[in-house]
Amino acid sequence: MGIPSSQPTLTIKIDSVLATEYRDAYHRALGSRNEIKQTLDEFIAGFVEDRLAEEIAFFEEEIANDRR
């Protein structure tokens, strides 16, 4: 049994065929040899984490600008 999370869990449904095609295109365009060794799950998790971090940073910047 897993340890309860202190934060809400985000569940994302991914089309595996589309994700595989995207990962392959991403690696061809921007990838390094180390990234190519990632499993599809690792790629998706890292990609989603990066996009969420960008969205959070944008949101925080917008809040800071609204307070000015």
Side-chain angles (χ1 to χ4, degrees):
M1 188 160 107
I3 299 172
S5 174
S6 60
Q7 297 180 358
T9 300
L10 175 66
T11 302
I12 300 172
K13 293 185 180 183
I14 305 280
D15 179 314
S16 64
V17 172
L18 181 60
T20 300
E21 290 175 8
Y22 189 85
R23 178 193 58 183
D24 293 346
Y26 183 87
H27 288 316
R28 281 193 304 273
L30 305 170
S32 71
R33 287 183 170 211
N34 292 335
E35 291 173 339
I36 292 171
K37 294 179 184 175
Q38 288 178 320
T39 65
L40 184 57
D41 289 347
E42 291 169 336
F43 171 76
I44 292 170
F47 184 83
V48 170
E49 185 177 301
D50 290 347
R51 298 301 75 74
L52 288 174
E54 289 176 3
E55 290 296 322
I56 291 168
F58 174 79
F59 181 69
E60 289 173 343
E61 185 175 320
E62 289 295 309
I63 290 173
N65 289 337
D66 287 347
R67 289 184 181 158
R68 293 181 192 163

